[in-house]
Amino acid sequence: MTVKLLIESSKKGNTGIHLPLKSNFPKTDLHQTFPNEWVRETIGLPNVSEPEVVRHFTNLASLNYGVDSGFYPLGSCTMKYNPKINEKLANLEGFTKTHPLQPDFTVQGNLYLMMHFEQLLAEITGMDAFTLLPAAGAHGELTGMMIVKAYFQNKGEAEKRTKILIPESAHGTNPASAASVGFEIVEVKSTNCGGVDVAHLKEVMNDQVAAIMLTNPNTAGVFETDILEVAEIMHQNGSLLYYDGANLNALLGQVRPGDMGFDIVHLNLHKTFSTPHGGGGPGSAPVGVKEYLREYLPVPVIRERNHQITSETDQFNSIGMIRLAGSNFQVIVKAYLYILTMGSDGLKKASSIAVLNANYIKEKLSPFIPAGVPCICMHECVLSAKDFAPYGVQAKDISKRLIDYGFHPPTNYFPLIIPEALMIEPTETESKETMDHFIDAMKKIVQEAKENPSLLLEAPHYTPISRPDEVKAAKDLNVTY
Amino acid sequence: MRYIPITDQDIQDMLKETNLSSVESLFQSIPSSIRFKQDLALPMPLDEMELERHARQIASKNSTSQTHDTFIGEINYQHFIPSIVDTLSSNSAFYTAYTPYQPEVSQGTLEAIYQFQSYMTHLTGMDFSNASLYDGATAAAEALYMLTSSSRKKRAVLSSTLHPHVKEVIRTYAKMRNIEIEEIHSNDGTLAIHDAEDKFTEQTACFIVQIPNVFGLIEDLKPLYDKLSEKKIKLVVVILEPMLLGALMPYDPARVDIVCGEAQTFGIETCYGGPGLGFFTGKKELIRKIPGRIVGKTTDKEGREAYVMTLRAREQDIRREKATSNICTNHALNALRATIYLSTVGEDGLKAIARENINISHYAIDRIEKETPCQIPYKKPYFNEILVKIPTPHTHQEMIKKLYEKNILISKNNMGRFFPYLGESFVISFSEIHQISQIDNLILALKEVLS
Amino acid sequence: MSEVKKGYIYTETDEWVKVDGNEVLIGITDYAQHHLGDIVFVEITAEGKTIKKGDVLTTIESVKSANDVFSPVSGKVLAMNTKLEEDSGLINKDPYNEGWIARIQLANPEELSTLMQDEDYHQYRKE
């Protein structure tokens, strides 16, 4: 059961604002000012009163499950707690009521915050320069790939360097981003821990390789132990290393991408730095580079001279603009405040506990559902439900049954290299008691799977809707009222 | 610790229960030569009170539309936002959720997006809308990628009257794929139709035009429709101020293929440019090629109405390098804000607000032309903003400074920098937030500054 | 156990070919449709095109995947099965008959000898 659409409650004469508008301005006659056929009388929006709107969206919210509702161990998404003070302060009018085209001297507060944030990120990652422009992880990757392209163009090697290496365990966004800007993808085999198969890397290496895109810890949640060797192989070949920051939460203050040999990184502020996921965005994904790539960063760039901070577009060799003026500034404010709250000790503690929590869950659960890889995991662990096939139970059924127990399911079927994957990322913001409840629920579900699999196959049982028909959705497309 | 509910005792218990020797042992796979052993050089941590003080101090260094009369638009627009937009969108069941991959616990987000798609589709007159994109410029660039790759043509034509930011983003994206870009010149501030003749070729995938254009003028696309369809060129209309659509529909939806752009104007703060709200609507035959998420209505196993993300096979997590776009996210929370905004003002409210924007801007711009030394070089139909030319020998920089002293903020973009033939000029923008006294002050200030 | 049609020849990427003189009919195997699950969309835009062996003939979408169908032969695409536009589920229901995808005029009949006979394909996909 869903909530009735507002258009179905629409009534002529209802409105959520004061109508007619109070106005002291003379009316412009639309028919005299514009061609008649432009003037519009109907649109197709509802007419509803304020209390109806409030109830509608409050009811919709009640159908949602967020981090504030309960445990949300969605692997590779880092669903950590979103601090409320950061929400409040990011909504200060001093920030929200500024316009991106205000002259620089009137937004020195914003520019200071951004400049300082860039410096903090450089310290945390071991990189030299940052841009805060990219709007999301995929946009960060796209920006990074554009920088790779511009770098080789400037070296006169663009014609030759056409390939990007991507481990087969990588998230699909990596190959999609590299292909978006015209690179060819070469898949590198993965080890049984999801890492780069160094022997295969050497095999596919040649002078056409522009860069490799890596996530570390990799998508199986395991640290890339051969990272220094990989970096050496790449750099000796004149190629670059790109760091997908999806899993940086495991490493904050423990080891820095810049020290591992990465040339370009993107960070997901909505994962590692606690800004809310918003139901699927907006995020923000600053991109950091080593000094020799600074000149390729997109514009505008932030500079300081004579105690004035400016946002400037004159940067020779820049890849250019990648979005309208501004950044996802409000997200940046929240991440900045998070870092100021945590400090060095806090960030180190966050990564330590994130890793401890994941290992705790893995050790407790692996006797019941085997781990997908035979290695120490970092901030997330992958279990494989392949042994449940005889009961007709798949990973997704376990996930759906978890909803009945009050938990958000883990990530399913990723990474692709692990069959029937259940990827669990608890983050550091969960208590031992919450994790113990989750572990108990998983054990019960394992028991149910063997004794009464239909409990899983028909789950979830207590939600307003269950197992919507995705085939029908795709065949009989209905995407608007 | 404040955000980390694991005590030292918990750590000991957890290690013991799992036979792990220490937390440090979990990091043993990191080569010791690169382990970061010292402290990160970050400021000392702040408590909540200190943090608030610090943030307020930074924010107070900004001028805002609350402290100054602000007449800036171009890419982001200041409109009144009903308070329930903030109240409802700050429900943490919305903002602390992730992408609705599990429909059973995400019907709230999904149904909100379905309504967002419906509203945008009705506003633009297209057949479908996606669940939103990053912003107006990247939406246009995604349209370019989509139409060039689906048609296998390597050429696109832009209107020279696109906002320079949109144009530059498109060019950044285009050069990555060696897509050839040409521009159609303008004449008196709008498209020079005759210039289109030899630039539209069989190899042209699409033509991208903005309404209202960079000078605030509403392009008349009618003379172009046949020229485009003759050569099978897709028409992309970019709109950065869709408030316009509450009063006017200045194109024929039947002749347009994609309408995309920026919908920040609907209930979202300008917030120094972000996060905004890209939108992307189009004709149904294109739906399987589009970037980004889309929500569809279906039924569940018991026949109940339900919403799910659909046409997922296009997306990057499934199709990898063959995906239609690398985009994963939508700006869901801002799409929610726009949906709440459009629901609240409703059909009649949006029409009234859009008309009020026309009333105010036409009143104010009339007075600027009649009472101040400023010129309005292009007098063609416009919505709520227009290009203003600064009389010599005055400069845009000087205007910014002097108007600021009179408590007025104007755009930092000197249009003469992007269009040298214009000389010193800028775009001035009005909306329903402006009162008559503010217009009086503006007129007076312009007169004094330019005397 | 999925069906292998006698008399058809097969590719390693699970397409079948039915030879009819100088023309061939092409589809995907029962094994492949099973693997894909409910098919929701088939692109049928290749008619009239000249295509090389191994080129992507079309893309088949299920709810959670999109898979390329590679042309087992070179030649001109004489027709695509337009019925699939209405009902892509025909591939699930009847992959070897009603669910055919394309008819191609052979440019190079020798290519057929590189494909698998039904027995070999049966062995190849025996689980």
Side-chain angles (χ1 to χ4, degrees):
Chain A
M1 204 204 61
T2 46
V3 175
K4 204 157 101 171
L5 297 174
L6 277 172
I7 192 73
E8 299 172 77
S9 310
S10 176
K11 253 195 257 174
K12 188 72 195 162
N14 264 348
T15 169
I17 59 169
H18 266 284
L19 285 179
L21 297 178
K22 291 185 184 174
S23 168
N24 296 318
F25 296 92
K27 299 269 171 291
T28 299
D29 183 338
L30 297 193
H31 289 278
Q32 294 207 334
T33 314
F34 302 102
N36 266 321
E37 74 254 31
W38 289 7
V39 179
R40 193 168 190 185
E41 296 303 337
T42 54
I43 303 167
L45 301 177
N47 281 312
V48 284
S49 64
E50 182 171 326
E52 288 170 287
V53 177
V54 170
R55 254 190 212 152
H56 175 80
F57 286 99
T58 306
N59 287 334
L60 284 187
S62 75
L63 303 177
N64 259 17
Y65 187 105
V67 171
D68 286 1
S69 318
F71 190 42
Y72 209 126
L74 196 65
S76 104
C77 301
T78 315
M79 300 301 290
K80 61 167 77 172
Y81 171 69
N82 311 130
K84 304 308 159 197
I85 182 66
N86 301 345
E87 293 299 310
K88 174 182 164 183
L89 296 177
N91 275 307
L92 291 177
E93 286 190 341
F95 296 128
T96 60
K97 301 283 182 191
T98 54
H99 192 285
L101 297 180
Q102 272 179 234
D104 291 346
F105 74 89
T106 71
V107 281
Q108 287 294 296
N110 289 347
L111 289 168
Y112 165 78
L113 188 151
M114 292 169 77
M115 189 179 70
H116 192 205
F117 187 56
E118 286 181 5
Q119 292 160 356
L120 299 180
L121 293 181
E123 168 66 13
I124 290 168
T125 56
M127 305 305 284
D128 297 316
F130 264 89
T131 173
L132 305 181
L133 298 172
H139 202 209
E141 291 178 18
L142 195 77
T143 306
M145 288 298 107
M146 287 177 174
I147 291 170
V148 171
K149 212 154 195 191
Y151 168 72
F152 285 115
Q153 215 128 38
N154 198 31
K155 286 184 75 178
E157 294 178 33
E159 299 289 304
K160 185 177 79 176
R161 302 270 185 180
T162 53
K163 291 181 176 160
I164 299 287
L165 305 184
I166 294 177
E168 59 180 346
S169 62
H171 193 274
T173 318
N174 291 169
S177 299
S180 267
V181 297
F183 281 117
E184 214 177 296
I185 312 302
V186 178
E187 216 169 65
V188 183
K189 286 190 183 138
S190 294
T191 63
N192 61 350
C193 289
V196 175
D197 179 337
V198 175
H200 189 239
L201 173 70
K202 287 178 181 160
E203 246 172 69
V204 295
M205 201 58 174
N206 59 37
D207 62 358
Q208 296 172 356
V209 173
I212 189 167
M213 294 181 92
L214 285 181
T215 311
N216 193 11
N218 63 38
T219 58
V222 179
F223 190 85
E224 191 73 63
T225 39
D226 295 328
I227 184 60
L228 295 178
E229 194 185 350
V230 171
E232 205 189 324
I233 294 169
M234 296 304 296
H235 286 152
Q236 273 188 356
N237 192 56
S239 318
L240 304 178
L241 279 85
Y242 182 90
Y243 182 79
D244 173 342
N247 292 344
L248 185 67
N249 204 44
L251 305 181
L252 285 172
Q254 312 289 346
V255 57
R256 308 187 305 174
D259 300 334
M260 295 181 220
F262 285 97
D263 304 284
I264 308 174
V265 311
H266 90 256
L267 308 177
N268 295 303
L269 301 186
H270 46 286
K271 295 181 180 176
T272 317
F273 297 99
S274 87
T275 72
H277 284 70
S284 171
V287 167
V289 295
K290 291 284 174 63
E291 191 56 47
Y292 69 100
L293 294 172
R294 182 194 289 266
E295 60 186 312
Y296 304 102
L297 288 174
V299 289
V301 293
I302 297 170
R303 298 194 182 113
E304 185 175 21
R305 352 191 131 95
N306 311 324
H307 305 291
Q308 274 287 310
I309 311 171
T310 54
S311 163
E312 297 174 13
T313 51
D314 57 326
Q315 169 151 285
F316 200 64
N317 281 338
S318 163
I319 57 169
M321 284 186 84
I322 56 162
R323 58 172 296 156
L324 293 175
S327 53
N328 279 7
F329 179 68
Q330 202 171 26
V331 179
I332 285 162
V333 174
K334 294 174 198 178
Y336 172 72
L337 297 175
Y338 175 75
I339 292 172
L340 292 188
T341 299
M342 299 295 278
S344 176
D345 288 351
L347 293 180
K348 279 174 186 260
K349 174 123 188 192
S351 55
S352 301
I353 301 297
V355 170
L356 174 65
N357 286 357
N359 278 281
Y360 178 69
I361 289 178
K362 180 187 150 205
E363 292 301 319
K364 288 271 193 163
L365 280 181
S366 51
F368 305 92
I369 309 180
V373 293
C375 333
I376 294 182
C377 72
M378 300 300 283
H379 66 307
E380 61 193 1
C381 62
V382 187
L383 306 179
S384 169
K386 66 176 191 300
D387 295 348
F388 292 86
Y391 310 103
V393 167
Q394 298 177 305
K396 72 160 186 279
D397 303 313
I398 294 174
S399 280
K400 294 294 185 198
R401 184 63 178 152
L402 268 170
I403 295 174
D404 284 338
Y405 283 91
F407 299 103
H408 194 283
T411 296
N412 294 165
Y413 306 111
F414 182 78
L416 303 170
I417 55 166
I418 297 165
E420 294 295 321
L422 285 161
M423 184 189 226
I424 301 167
E425 180 180 8
T427 83
E428 72 281 9
T429 62
E430 297 300 332
S431 68
K432 179 171 182 294
E433 289 71 22
T434 300
M435 290 186 289
D436 285 339
H437 285 311
F438 174 77
I439 290 162
D440 286 343
M442 285 290 277
K443 286 186 196 165
K444 276 188 206 146
I445 293 170
V446 167
Q447 203 60 33
E448 290 169 352
K450 293 173 181 166
E451 290 165 3
N452 186 5
S454 68
L455 270 180
L456 280 69
L457 299 175
E458 283 159 28
H461 297 85
Y462 315 120
T463 42
I465 60 126
S466 183
R467 307 239 182 180
D469 185 345
E470 298 188 348
V471 175
K472 180 180 171 184
K475 272 187 169 173
D476 312 332
L477 272 184
N478 173 350
V479 297
T480 63
Y481 66 68
Chain B
M1 207 177 168
R2 192 152 146 224
Y3 302 145
I4 305 179
I6 296 285
T7 64
D8 289 345
Q9 185 60 48
D10 287 334
I11 296 175
Q12 294 318 313
D13 293 346
M14 288 162 75
L15 290 171
K16 208 168 132 202
E17 285 177 48
T18 51
N19 294 320
L20 294 166
S21 57
S22 65
V23 174
E24 179 57 30
S25 71
L26 298 171
F27 290 92
Q28 69 195 15
S29 48
I30 302 174
S32 64
S33 64
I34 51 171
R35 257 317 280 283
F36 192 76
K37 304 220 174 61
Q38 62 273 43
D39 289 337
L40 290 163
L42 304 177
M44 288 303 285
L46 303 180
D47 66 27
E48 186 164 344
M49 201 160 66
E50 292 169 320
L51 190 75
E52 177 151 351
R53 209 175 284 143
H54 180 71
R56 285 186 186 281
Q57 197 195 355
I58 295 175
S60 72
K61 292 193 180 127
N62 294 327
S63 306
T64 69
S65 58
Q66 302 301 105
T67 62
H68 289 68
D69 293 348
T70 307
F71 299 99
I72 313 176
E74 293 183 50
I75 55 171
N76 283 165
Y77 295 84
Q78 297 171 325
H79 293 289
F80 180 75
I81 301 176
S83 55
I84 65 169
V85 176
D86 284 332
T87 310
L88 296 173
S89 67
S90 57
N91 186 323
S92 70
F94 283 127
Y95 79 75
T96 72
Y98 188 55
T99 306
Y101 288 122
Q102 295 286 345
E104 288 91 345
V105 288
S106 319
Q107 285 299 300
T109 297
L110 288 163
E111 190 174 329
I113 293 175
Y114 179 83
Q115 292 184 96
F116 170 76
Q117 292 172 182
S118 302
Y119 293 174
M120 294 315 297
T121 304
H122 283 283
L123 275 163
T124 60
M126 293 291 106
D127 298 329
F128 72 82
S129 160
N130 77 0
S132 73
L133 294 171
Y134 311 138
D135 77 351
T138 53
E142 286 290 331
L144 171 84
Y145 270 9
M146 166 184 155
L147 295 172
T148 47
S149 62
S150 64
S151 67
R152 298 195 173 84
K153 296 180 185 172
K154 283 292 232 181
R155 208 167 162 280
V157 179
L158 311 183
S159 161
S160 60
T161 60
L162 289 174
H163 191 279
H165 292 181
V166 177
K167 208 187 289 179
E168 284 183 31
V169 173
I170 291 175
R171 284 186 174 279
T172 301
Y173 275 62
K175 73 184 171 217
M176 294 297 153
R177 284 200 194 170
N178 301 319
I179 298 166
E180 193 191 325
I181 297 284
E182 275 214 71
E183 287 189 24
I184 295 186
H185 298 308
S186 65
N187 183 17
D188 267 351
T190 55
L191 275 172
I193 304 289
H194 63 85
D195 190 42
E197 298 295 340
D198 51 335
K199 287 179 181 159
F200 289 161
T201 71
E202 306 287 345
Q203 276 318 300
T204 309
C206 60
F207 172 57
I208 306 179
V209 60
Q210 183 184 323
I211 294 179
N213 70 19
V214 57
F215 309 127
L217 309 175
I218 305 174
E219 300 276 358
D220 183 6
L221 303 180
K222 222 197 234 165
L224 287 170
Y225 297 141
D226 287 342
K227 292 183 201 299
L228 290 164
S229 47
E230 247 167 57
K231 304 247 165 75
K232 295 202 167 97
I233 299 168
K234 301 277 191 226
L235 174 54
V236 179
V237 174
V238 177
I239 304 182
L240 302 183
E241 172 51 315
M243 186 62 81
L244 161 96
L245 297 170
L248 304 171
M249 170 59 87
Y251 54 84
D252 178 359
R255 307 300 298 266
V256 177
D257 299 285
I258 287 172
V259 180
C260 63
E262 174 70 50
Q264 167 275 334
T265 198
F266 297 137
I268 298 158
E269 302 280 3
T270 51
C271 203
Y272 204 46
L277 179 61
F279 73 92
F280 196 96
T281 67
K283 284 294 170 53
K284 62 171 174 290
E285 58 269 24
L286 297 172
I287 197 168
R288 287 174 190 274
K289 307 284 181 203
I290 60 165
R293 296 178 180 138
I294 191 159
V295 169
K297 194 179 203 171
T298 182
T299 48
D300 79 346
K301 62 177 187 189
E302 287 173 25
R304 296 170 292 201
E305 262 183 12
Y307 299 91
V308 292
M309 291 201 289
T310 191
L311 299 184
R312 295 263 299 117
R314 298 165 294 117
E315 291 187 55
Q316 37 66 42
D317 55 331
I318 291 175
R319 287 220 86 185
R320 301 177 78 86
E321 67 268 26
K322 288 182 179 164
T324 56
S325 158
N326 78 324
I327 288 181
C328 319
T329 190
N330 59 323
H331 274 189
L333 192 64
N334 280 352
L336 174 73
R337 287 186 69 100
T339 309
I340 299 169
Y341 176 85
L342 290 168
S343 303
T344 307
V345 303
E347 171 100 358
D348 292 343
L350 194 75
K351 276 158 59 182
I353 295 166
R355 281 163 172 74
E356 184 66 359
N357 274 257
I358 293 172
N359 293 337
I360 295 172
S361 62
H362 285 65
Y363 166 81
I365 289 163
D366 240 27
R367 285 189 61 189
I368 291 175
E369 197 181 11
K370 289 191 182 124
E371 299 174 32
T372 78
C374 289
Q375 292 167 292
I376 307 295
Y378 305 133
K379 277 170 258 168
K380 290 183 178 176
Y382 62 93
F383 178 57
N384 64 2
E385 61 188 341
I386 203 155
L387 183 79
V388 172
K389 192 160 165 43
I390 301 165
T392 47
H394 300 283
T395 66
H396 178 241
Q397 272 312 312
E398 172 200 348
M399 293 268 291
I400 287 177
K401 291 262 161 59
K402 289 189 173 162
L403 288 173
Y404 182 74
E405 285 160 18
K406 297 183 180 299
N407 218 46
I408 289 169
L409 282 169
I410 59 167
S411 171
K412 75 177 197 178
N413 276 346
N414 177 1
M415 280 299 158
R417 195 166 72 77
F418 305 106
F419 303 92
Y421 60 87
L422 289 177
E424 301 283 309
S425 54
F426 65 101
V427 170
I428 194 158
S429 181
F430 301 91
S431 86
E432 77 284 357
I433 64 167
H434 295 120
Q435 296 174 286
I436 239 165
S437 59
Q438 292 173 302
I439 308 292
D440 290 340
N441 285 342
L442 173 70
I443 301 292
L444 194 66
L446 285 173
K447 280 201 265 196
E448 285 177 12
V449 166
L450 299 172
S451 65
Chain C
M1 197 69 215
S2 48
E3 188 197 349
V4 177
K5 188 96 170 170
K6 290 268 178 222
Y8 287 18
I9 50 179
Y10 296 88
T11 67
E12 287 176 13
T13 44
D14 305 299
E15 290 90 10
W16 55 258
V17 176
K18 183 187 175 193
V19 186
D20 182 8
N22 220 10
E23 290 174 18
V24 296
L25 213 56
I26 288 163
I28 64 165
T29 66
D30 192 35
Y31 172 88
Q33 72 78 15
H34 224 73
H35 210 71
L36 285 169
D38 286 318
I39 291 163
V40 296
F41 183 71
V42 185
E43 205 175 76
I44 50 160
T45 51
E47 188 169 322
K49 285 187 186 150
T50 302
I51 192 166
K52 284 208 295 289
K53 179 181 170 165
D55 283 355
V56 175
L57 181 61
T58 182
T59 304
I60 291 183
E61 281 181 24
S62 66
V63 171
K64 294 233 159 74
S65 72
N67 291 63
D68 293 332
V69 177
F70 301 100
S71 183
V73 295
S74 307
K76 189 175 175 196
V77 182
L78 299 173
M80 297 289 285
N81 185 356
T82 49
K83 277 194 189 157
L84 297 176
E85 220 169 3
E86 282 291 298
D87 184 7
S88 50
L90 285 175
I91 296 179
N92 294 116
K93 278 175 247 163
D94 191 5
Y96 293 112
N97 298 301
E98 289 278 298
W100 67 275
I101 294 169
R103 177 181 290 278
I104 294 182
Q105 176 152 40
L106 287 174
N108 188 2
E110 285 102 84
E111 283 169 355
L112 296 174
S113 63
T114 62
L115 303 180
M116 275 183 274
Q117 297 303 311
D118 47 33
E119 270 306 306
D120 299 333
Y121 181 71
H122 182 76
Q123 283 301 318
Y124 173 68
R125 280 304 180 203
K126 202 164 151 188
E127 280 161 324

Coordinates of all heavy atoms in Angstrom, one line a residue, chain B residues 152 288-289 311-314 318-319 322, chain C residues 41 43 59 61-66 68:
Chain B
R152 N 25.7 7.8 -33.3 CA 27.0 7.6 -33.9 C 27.5 8.7 -34.8 O 28.3 8.5 -35.7 CB 27.1 6.2 -34.7 CG 26.8 5.0 -33.8 CD 27.2 3.7 -34.5 NE 27.1 2.6 -33.6 CZ 25.9 2.0 -33.4 NH1 24.8 2.3 -34.0 NH2 25.8 1.0 -32.5
R288 N 15.4 4.7 -23.3 CA 16.4 3.6 -23.0 C 17.8 4.1 -23.1 O 18.8 3.3 -22.9 CB 16.1 2.4 -23.8 CG 14.9 1.7 -23.3 CD 14.5 0.5 -24.1 NE 13.1 0.1 -23.7 CZ 12.9 -0.8 -22.6 NH1 14.0 -1.3 -22.0 NH2 11.7 -1.1 -22.3
K289 N 18.0 5.3 -23.6 CA 19.4 5.8 -23.8 C 19.8 6.8 -22.7 O 20.9 7.4 -22.7 CB 19.5 6.5 -25.1 CG 19.0 5.6 -26.3 CD 20.0 4.6 -26.6 CE 19.6 3.8 -27.8 NZ 20.2 2.5 -27.8
L311 N 14.3 0.3 -15.6 CA 15.3 0.4 -16.7 C 16.7 0.5 -16.2 O 17.6 1.2 -16.7 CB 15.0 1.7 -17.6 CG 13.6 1.8 -18.2 CD1 13.5 3.0 -19.1 CD2 13.4 0.6 -19.1
R312 N 17.0 -0.4 -15.2 CA 18.3 -0.4 -14.5 C 19.4 -0.9 -15.4 O 20.5 -0.7 -15.2 CB 18.2 -1.3 -13.3 CG 17.2 -0.7 -12.2 CD 17.9 0.1 -11.2 NE 18.9 -0.7 -10.5 CZ 20.2 -0.5 -10.5 NH1 20.7 0.5 -11.1 NH2 21.0 -1.3 -9.8
A313 N 19.0 -1.7 -16.5 CA 20.0 -2.3 -17.3 C 20.9 -1.3 -18.0 O 21.9 -1.7 -18.6 CB 19.4 -3.3 -18.3
R314 N 20.5 0.0 -18.1 CA 21.3 1.0 -18.7 C 22.5 1.4 -17.9 O 23.4 2.0 -18.3 CB 20.5 2.3 -18.9 CG 19.3 2.3 -19.8 CD 18.5 3.5 -19.6 NE 17.9 3.6 -18.2 CZ 18.2 4.4 -17.3 NH1 19.0 5.4 -17.5 NH2 17.7 4.4 -16.1
I318 N 25.5 -2.1 -13.7 CA 25.2 -3.3 -14.4 C 26.0 -3.4 -15.7 O 26.7 -4.4 -16.0 CB 23.7 -3.4 -14.7 CG1 23.0 -3.6 -13.4 CG2 23.4 -4.5 -15.7 CD1 21.5 -3.6 -13.5
R319 N 25.9 -2.3 -16.5 CA 26.5 -2.4 -17.9 C 28.0 -2.0 -17.9 O 28.6 -2.0 -19.0 CB 25.7 -1.5 -18.8 CG 24.4 -2.0 -19.2 CD 24.1 -1.8 -20.7 NE 24.6 -2.8 -21.5 CZ 24.6 -2.8 -22.8 NH1 24.1 -1.8 -23.4 NH2 25.1 -3.8 -23.5
K322 N 29.8 -0.2 -20.9 CA 28.8 0.0 -21.9 C 27.6 0.8 -21.5 O 26.6 0.9 -22.2 CB 28.4 -1.3 -22.5 CG 29.4 -2.0 -23.4 CD 29.0 -3.3 -23.9 CE 30.0 -3.9 -24.8 NZ 29.7 -5.3 -25.1
Chain C
F41 N 13.3 -6.2 -23.0 CA 13.4 -5.3 -24.1 C 14.5 -5.9 -25.1 O 15.5 -6.4 -24.7 CB 13.9 -3.9 -23.7 CG 14.0 -2.9 -24.8 CD1 12.9 -2.4 -25.5 CD2 15.3 -2.5 -25.2 CE1 13.0 -1.5 -26.5 CE2 15.4 -1.6 -26.3 CZ 14.3 -1.1 -26.9
E43 N 16.4 -4.6 -28.7 CA 16.6 -3.5 -29.7 C 16.6 -4.1 -31.1 O 17.3 -5.1 -31.4 CB 17.9 -2.8 -29.5 CG 18.0 -1.4 -29.9 CD 19.4 -0.8 -29.5 OE1 20.4 -1.1 -30.2 OE2 19.4 0.0 -28.6
T59 N 21.0 -5.8 -28.5 CA 21.2 -6.0 -27.1 C 19.9 -6.4 -26.5 O 18.8 -5.9 -26.8 CB 21.6 -4.6 -26.5 OG1 22.8 -4.2 -27.1 CG2 21.9 -4.7 -25.0
E61 N 17.7 -6.9 -23.0 CA 17.7 -6.5 -21.6 C 16.8 -7.3 -20.8 O 15.6 -7.6 -21.2 CB 17.2 -5.0 -21.5 CG 18.2 -4.0 -21.9 CD 17.7 -2.6 -21.8 OE1 16.7 -2.4 -21.0 OE2 18.2 -1.7 -22.5
S62 N 17.3 -7.8 -19.7 CA 16.4 -8.3 -18.6 C 16.4 -7.2 -17.5 O 16.9 -6.1 -17.7 CB 16.9 -9.6 -18.1 OG 18.1 -9.4 -17.4
V63 N 15.7 -7.6 -16.4 CA 15.6 -6.5 -15.4 C 16.9 -6.1 -14.9 O 17.2 -5.0 -14.6 CB 14.7 -7.1 -14.2 CG1 14.7 -6.1 -13.1 CG2 13.3 -7.2 -14.7
K64 N 17.8 -7.1 -14.7 CA 19.1 -6.8 -14.0 C 20.3 -6.9 -14.9 O 21.4 -6.9 -14.4 CB 19.2 -7.7 -12.7 CG 18.2 -7.3 -11.7 CD 18.8 -7.0 -10.4 CE 17.9 -6.2 -9.4 NZ 16.8 -6.9 -8.9
S65 N 20.1 -7.1 -16.2 CA 21.3 -7.2 -17.0 C 21.0 -6.8 -18.4 O 19.8 -6.7 -18.8 CB 21.9 -8.6 -17.0 OG 21.0 -9.4 -17.8
A66 N 22.0 -6.4 -19.2 CA 21.9 -6.1 -20.6 C 22.9 -6.9 -21.3 O 24.1 -6.8 -20.9 CB 22.0 -4.6 -20.8
D68 N 24.8 -8.3 -24.9 CA 24.9 -8.2 -26.3 C 24.7 -9.5 -27.0 O 25.1 -10.6 -26.5 CB 26.3 -7.7 -26.6 CG 26.5 -6.2 -26.2 OD1 25.5 -5.5 -26.1 OD2 27.6 -5.9 -25.8

